[in-house]
Amino acid sequence: MFRTLSILSTLLLLGSTATAADSFRYHAPGILAKGLGRTGDRTVYFEQFGFPLQAGPKYGDARAFANSQVYSTAGGNSVLNYAYPWKDTYCEARSWTMPLCPGKTGHQGVDIRPNAPPAKGLVHPVLAVADGVIIAATPFTRVEIRSMDSEGPFTCRYLHMSKESIVGLKVGATVKKGDTLGDVSNIMGAKPDTTYHLHFDCMRNIDGVAIRPPVYTSLVAAYRRAWQLDDLVSDGKLGVDQQREISEVVNDQPSGEVNTSPKTWQTKNYGAITPQTEPDGWPQYIKTWPGLDLAKQVRDSKGKIIPTLSNDQSGVGLWWYWLVVRAGFNTSGKMTFRNLAMKYSGAQTTADPSVINYLTNYVGAGEGGGGIAKLYFPTPPKADDELSLNDAETRWRIAQTVFHFEAGRAVPFGRSAFDEGVALGDRLIAGVADSGVTVPLVSSPAEPAGTGSPSENGKLPASASCAASNIEITRQQTSVKLSGCLSEKLILEIVGLN
């Protein structure tokens, strides 16, 4: 009932014109749904743009909605996405090389949804943002136009238009600002393979290097002009609209300071292991995890508290424990990125859109061989390639891929910290609590609890019968309690004699 009313309210909002201009809201530049953006950069790199979709009173109060096509909490094709506020998607977590993005990879431009979702007989024209010359119009529905402004030549790309709408475009033809180029669609790679939106980005030479600069501020200014609002551009910068602009402040920051680092960095929970309950309902292994800091509460995009760890090793160890025990990969010591995507999404089928989203980011579209993994694997793995968790180098590459996806950038620690985190996870899997808390030895589906120490990869090997149970070991003023059936091999490893 509540969801039905929510959707109905959104549809009514789409049709309302009474306060059309006043309802426009947008997040500050660089505030992303996922990844690390260029917060603080308010430069308007293209000051005289028109808006690339029909918008404003000239077009019957048509609206447009700049927001994520990948990380929407409502789902990529939901009607709920056709609503304010806007959110920047330049540098959003992707694997494209982007020199101006803080993480050096990210989304190349800004994604914009038109006035309303697709419907039979309804078209949403795409408009040229400046006078120029068509230099590309491909069957893959990429249209590229070269233009000129006071800073020199630049080119802009318009992606995902319908194939039939651009057949009349000819390379070499001139266009004027506001001319119709085609219609919004969901075409990517010559087939319906994305959400219904326009991808827009531009490129120009900066210090002799061809670079795609941020376009979000330029689009905000152009959209404001379309609605006959002051564009707030002064000295090449976008001013702050106290009524319409939303700035995000993290509670644990000094008053007025914006924490722009990824939430997985703020919490050192690099694998984004986040229970869907408040802390009282968290699994016991998280409640007793060494280095857990309940005083710091950072919430994810769904409002759930992300467990915060005090150091990198604790964060890595938590992910390793989840991967080996909770996700169940310790039974074979092998995994595929497709299976990992299934575990992260919680979906029941590989065709689920959330699985495809994870998998595409991990290893690229289709069968894989690309994505973020290509940054870390000498030979990028495919979706169903088996990867051995027994191999220390392979698991480091897997972790870098996953952590990069969750943060939108490369990990902030080195290999030694990662290996120490895995070792911590192994000790917790074996039932040893670094914090001095007694933790029961963990059963895996294939092996009974208390059968020995973890091997290097966290798998519990079979070993001899109990040598002792429920003991406490003190070394160098550190006390560790062990419960359950303990083998002689495990005890010797704990005290460093094996």
Side-chain angles (χ1 to χ4, degrees):
M1 177 64 178
F2 291 108
R3 183 172 175 81
T4 302
L5 290 174
S6 168
I7 294 174
L8 178 60
S9 299
T10 301
L11 291 172
L12 291 174
L13 179 62
L14 294 174
S16 171
T17 61
T19 58
D22 289 339
S23 66
F24 178 42
R25 297 288 186 276
Y26 54 95
H27 289 276
I31 302 296
L32 311 182
K34 194 176 191 68
L36 191 61
R38 289 176 61 88
T39 54
D41 182 3
R42 304 189 68 88
T43 303
V44 179
Y45 290 87
F46 306 91
E47 292 192 23
Q48 300 304 318
F49 268 179
F51 195 70
L53 295 176
Q54 292 184 345
K58 180 179 178 180
Y59 299 102
D61 289 341
R63 306 180 187 199
F65 308 100
N67 54 39
S68 179
Q69 309 302 301
V70 176
Y71 303 107
S72 164
T73 57
N77 290 306
S78 171
V79 67
L80 299 179
N81 294 314
Y82 293 80
Y84 300 134
W86 280 18
K87 182 163 280 192
D88 196 356
T89 54
Y90 178 84
C91 293
E92 187 179 67
R94 301 287 200 285
S95 59
W96 298 103
T97 298
M98 289 289 286
L100 294 186
C101 293
K104 304 307 178 186
T105 62
H107 191 229
Q108 296 170 308
V110 170
D111 290 335
I112 315 169
R113 301 177 197 265
N115 184 58
K120 186 176 182 180
L122 183 65
V123 295
H124 295 104
V126 175
L127 312 178
V129 300
D131 297 350
V133 177
I134 299 173
I135 61 173
T138 75
F140 294 96
T141 71
R142 172 176 62 87
V143 173
E144 194 164 351
I145 297 175
R146 180 182 292 119
S147 302
M148 178 77 71
D149 63 11
S150 60
E151 299 296 321
F154 64 92
T155 61
C156 293
R157 294 193 305 173
Y158 307 75
L159 306 184
H160 310 314
M161 289 183 283
S162 65
K163 289 185 284 187
E164 61 273 15
S165 72
I166 65 170
V167 292
L169 299 181
K170 304 298 181 184
V171 173
T174 60
V175 297
K176 293 292 186 181
K177 182 165 78 171
D179 283 356
T180 297
L181 302 177
D183 298 327
V184 176
S185 79
N186 62 348
I187 299 297
M188 184 169 67
K191 61 183 180 180
D193 200 27
T194 186
T195 57
Y196 187 69
H197 75 284
L198 171 71
H199 169 98
F200 178 79
D201 65 46
C202 299
M203 178 179 285
R204 76 184 325 152
N205 283 326
I206 298 178
D207 296 329
V209 179
I211 286 178
R212 299 189 195 281
V215 294
Y216 181 75
T217 50
S218 303
L219 292 172
V220 169
Y223 193 73
R224 293 179 66 93
R225 289 191 291 270
W227 282 98
Q228 301 173 2
L229 299 170
D230 183 346
D231 64 11
L232 297 182
V233 178
S234 178
D235 295 327
K237 304 284 186 179
L238 179 68
V240 177
D241 185 333
Q242 299 292 346
Q243 175 187 348
R244 295 179 176 85
E245 183 173 313
I246 302 168
S247 295
E248 296 189 0
V249 179
V250 178
N251 292 335
D252 64 345
Q253 294 298 297
S255 178
E257 293 188 16
V258 179
N259 189 334
T260 60
S261 63
K263 290 182 179 179
T264 56
W265 284 30
Q266 295 174 38
T267 60
K268 301 188 186 301
N269 188 337
Y270 298 107
I273 308 304
T274 306
Q276 299 304 294
T277 65
E278 291 299 293
D280 286 348
W282 285 357
Q284 189 66 19
Y285 81 98
I286 294 181
K287 287 183 178 181
T288 58
W289 196 263
L292 181 68
D293 181 5
L294 285 173
K296 183 176 180 179
Q297 295 192 353
V298 176
R299 293 184 182 269
D300 66 10
S301 60
K302 297 180 181 179
K304 304 303 182 184
I305 294 176
I306 306 170
T308 295
L309 290 314
S310 61
N311 56 67
D312 295 334
Q313 291 86 344
S314 287
V316 170
L318 181 65
W319 174 76
W320 181 250
Y321 184 103
W322 175 85
L323 185 72
V324 169
V325 177
R326 307 292 285 195
F329 290 114
N330 72 323
T331 57
S332 65
K334 294 182 179 180
M335 55 151 277
T336 68
F337 271 110
R338 191 185 303 278
N339 288 340
L340 184 62
M342 290 274 293
K343 295 294 184 180
Y344 257 99
S345 69
Q348 300 302 309
T349 68
T350 57
D352 190 284
S354 61
V355 175
I356 295 172
N357 174 42
Y358 275 107
L359 195 57
T360 301
N361 279 280
Y362 289 156
V363 296
E367 293 304 309
I372 296 172
K374 71 181 180 183
L375 300 174
Y376 302 109
F377 285 81
T379 302
K382 297 185 181 299
D384 295 310
D385 285 352
E386 284 195 338
L387 304 172
S388 174
L389 295 176
N390 292 319
D391 182 73
E393 187 64 33
T394 299
R395 65 178 178 240
W396 169 230
R397 297 183 190 281
I398 293 168
Q400 289 180 94
T401 301
V402 173
F403 297 171
H404 188 141
F405 169 62
E406 294 297 338
R409 62 183 301 180
V411 297
F413 53 83
R415 175 65 182 275
S416 60
F418 174 76
D419 288 342
E420 290 167 4
V422 170
L424 170 65
D426 282 343
R427 292 196 296 273
L428 270 292
I429 290 168
V432 181
D434 281 28
S435 61
V437 178
T438 301
V439 179
L441 294 178
V442 178
S443 299
S444 72
E447 299 170 71
T451 56
S453 64
S455 65
E456 186 181 8
N457 70 316
K459 184 176 178 181
L460 297 175
S463 67
S465 60
C466 298
S469 61
N470 301 320
I471 65 173
E472 181 172 351
I473 299 173
T474 300
R475 295 189 66 212
Q476 298 178 345
Q477 298 182 330
T478 299
S479 177
V480 176
K481 296 179 182 179
L482 309 176
S483 67
C485 176
L486 306 171
S487 69
E488 180 180 358
K489 186 173 184 292
L490 173 59
I491 297 170
L492 290 176
E493 287 194 359
I494 292 168
V495 299
L497 298 177
N498 192 20

